[in-house]
Amino acid sequence: MELNLNDLKKLAKATLSKTPLTYSVNGKEETYTADAANEALRTALAPLTKDYYTFKRNENTIFELISSTIDEILPARVMKQYEQFADTITVPQGDKPVFNIRITEAARKRAKAFVTSVGLAGRYETVMLEGRQLTVNTSAYGYAIRLGFEEFLDGRYSFADFTEIMIEGLDDAIYAEIAKALDTAIDTLPAVNKASHNGFDEKEFDKLLGISDSYGNGNSTIYCTREFASTMIPHDAAWASDSIKDDLFRRGFLGTYKGHNVVILQQSVEDIDNKVKAIDPAKAYIIASVGEKPVKISFEGQTAVRTVEDNDDWSRDMQTYKKVGVAVLSNPSICQFTNTELKKVIA
């Protein structure tokens, strides 16, 4: 059965999002599991990529499929991962990504709000937030993977393989930008909003919780990596019930700390030697519920895809180009604790 481009897009989305797919083909309803969708996609793409010259003739169709899949999957994945503290928006090429900002009266009385966003050449600029709208300008992010010529001809990489790799690469880049923008935003805050200690210091950490809890509904959320969370254990554990101890043993960290939810930021590594962590595990962020999520993420236009084939070994570099913007609203309800025992780079 020959599938058109729209059918291929549906199969690709089901494959990468790992969800079942049901739709009608020639008047007959077809249902695919995620694995079945991947196999159906592989089968459908095989005639388009059976050899080098056939691939060249069908290159634009394949690139459009990759582009549309990334545009479908990436914003949804980012939203799912960061929805507790981030808002996202997707706009067509050339449009301005504008967020409507809800500023509570309490926030107006107590402090000015600042915005930290990506500037040209990766610089982070802090500006005063004026009015109730925020435009998050986008910058281009690129990611590439190299396919060996023989691997390409033999079909050792499936569509799902290299598309998933590119989505993960772009996702990691966005994650890193969020962390950088948060750190730059925190630089604008009073010194009492920050604490640093060689190890987890319960008293200092609780002071920061008290500051953040004085804003919003008084129930701040803690965002940190699993590595940091595993150190965040109260000194006196006599209060802990058997169920809490079992939970700590099973997960390796407490899901709540003194009534505050702990949200784990997923870690990844930047290098093939697994020595440089993408997110600094030493830092934990305490963010109050003040009616406005502090992180804003914008996506502009379609993902562009191309291959570069001028490598001496005939390998192909498959490259993606996506316009993304990240901004962080900084206000005195945000606090940061740094555990200097935890290192970003493994010696």
Side-chain angles (χ1 to χ4, degrees):
M1 177 178 61
E2 185 175 347
L3 301 179
N4 60 35
L5 182 57
N6 285 334
D7 294 330
L8 293 175
K9 289 179 179 179
K10 292 176 183 177
L11 287 171
K13 181 180 178 181
T15 298
L16 271 297
S17 60
K18 297 178 174 56
T19 57
L21 170 65
T22 300
Y23 68 105
S24 179
V25 179
N26 299 326
K28 181 181 178 182
E29 194 173 79
E30 299 281 353
T31 300
Y32 294 93
T33 64
D35 289 340
N38 186 31
E39 188 56 37
L41 183 63
R42 184 193 296 269
T43 301
L45 288 176
L48 306 181
T49 59
K50 63 182 180 180
D51 57 45
Y52 177 80
Y53 295 105
T54 302
F55 171 81
K56 293 297 293 182
R57 286 194 297 271
N58 294 290
E59 197 170 39
N60 288 338
T61 297
I62 295 168
F63 288 172
E64 182 180 348
L65 182 60
I66 295 172
S67 172
S68 64
T69 302
I70 292 175
D71 288 338
E72 284 266 1
I73 299 297
L74 182 62
R77 183 173 297 185
V78 168
M79 189 65 248
K80 182 178 180 181
Q81 289 178 329
Y82 314 128
E83 62 184 348
Q84 296 192 59
F85 65 95
D87 291 318
T88 64
I89 191 173
T90 300
V91 298
Q93 174 68 33
D95 282 8
K96 289 292 186 182
V98 178
F99 292 86
N100 292 318
I101 305 300
R102 302 179 300 276
I103 303 177
T104 65
E105 191 59 32
R108 288 183 180 278
K109 290 179 178 178
R110 298 184 68 172
K112 291 287 188 179
F114 290 82
V115 179
T116 300
S117 58
V118 181
L120 295 176
R123 292 184 301 116
Y124 288 80
E125 301 174 350
T126 303
V127 297
M128 187 77 75
L129 175 64
E130 300 290 354
R132 291 179 174 271
Q133 288 190 324
L134 170 65
T135 300
V136 180
N137 294 320
T138 60
S139 301
Y141 289 82
Y143 191 77
I145 58 174
R146 178 160 294 183
L147 306 177
F149 186 66
E150 291 296 326
E151 294 171 327
F152 165 73
L153 290 179
D154 294 345
R156 298 179 204 170
Y157 282 102
S158 72
F159 173 89
D161 290 335
F162 53 71
T163 306
E164 177 67 30
I165 290 170
M166 287 189 285
I167 290 175
E168 286 183 359
L170 290 169
D171 190 18
D172 286 347
I174 294 169
Y175 201 169
E177 295 303 331
I178 292 173
K180 291 176 190 175
L182 271 172
D183 287 342
T184 304
I186 286 168
D187 287 343
T188 69
L189 299 178
V192 294
N193 287 52
K194 293 163 277 188
S196 180
H197 195 269
N198 187 33
F200 179 72
D201 188 302
E202 182 180 357
K203 179 182 284 189
E204 290 299 317
F205 193 86
D206 290 356
K207 285 181 182 178
L208 297 180
L209 282 176
I211 292 172
S212 189
D213 284 350
S214 68
Y215 293 82
N217 61 15
N219 191 20
S220 302
T221 301
I222 302 164
Y223 299 90
C224 61
T225 63
R226 184 181 298 271
E227 191 173 352
F228 186 100
S230 67
T231 70
M232 202 167 58
I233 310 297
H235 177 72
D236 182 8
W239 53 268
S241 66
D242 288 341
S243 62
I244 292 177
K245 292 176 182 177
D246 289 342
D247 185 49
L248 177 60
F249 180 80
R250 184 171 58 254
R251 294 198 292 183
F253 64 92
L254 295 173
T256 59
Y257 175 88
K258 298 185 178 180
H260 300 81
N261 287 334
V262 178
V263 175
I264 299 300
L265 302 176
Q266 297 303 314
Q267 184 64 280
S268 60
V269 292
E270 295 180 354
D271 63 325
I272 60 175
D273 296 323
N274 293 332
K275 289 186 176 181
V276 182
K277 299 168 186 176
I279 303 299
D280 189 349
K283 297 174 180 177
Y285 307 96
I286 303 171
I287 300 177
S289 300
V290 293
E292 185 65 48
K293 295 179 181 179
V295 177
K296 309 298 178 186
I297 305 169
S298 61
F299 298 93
E300 180 187 351
Q302 293 179 310
T303 300
V305 181
R306 70 172 185 177
T307 57
V308 178
E309 306 173 48
D310 58 355
N311 299 319
D312 290 339
D313 61 358
W314 283 57
S315 61
R316 307 164 62 87
D317 291 346
M318 183 166 286
Q319 301 176 345
T320 56
Y321 174 102
K322 183 68 178 174
K323 296 178 75 174
V324 182
V326 175
V328 173
L329 296 175
S330 176
N331 64 71
S333 71
I334 299 176
C335 296
Q336 182 191 72
F337 183 92
T338 302
N339 180 347
T340 58
E341 274 190 344
L342 304 177
K343 305 295 184 182
K344 182 176 181 179
V345 180
I346 302 174

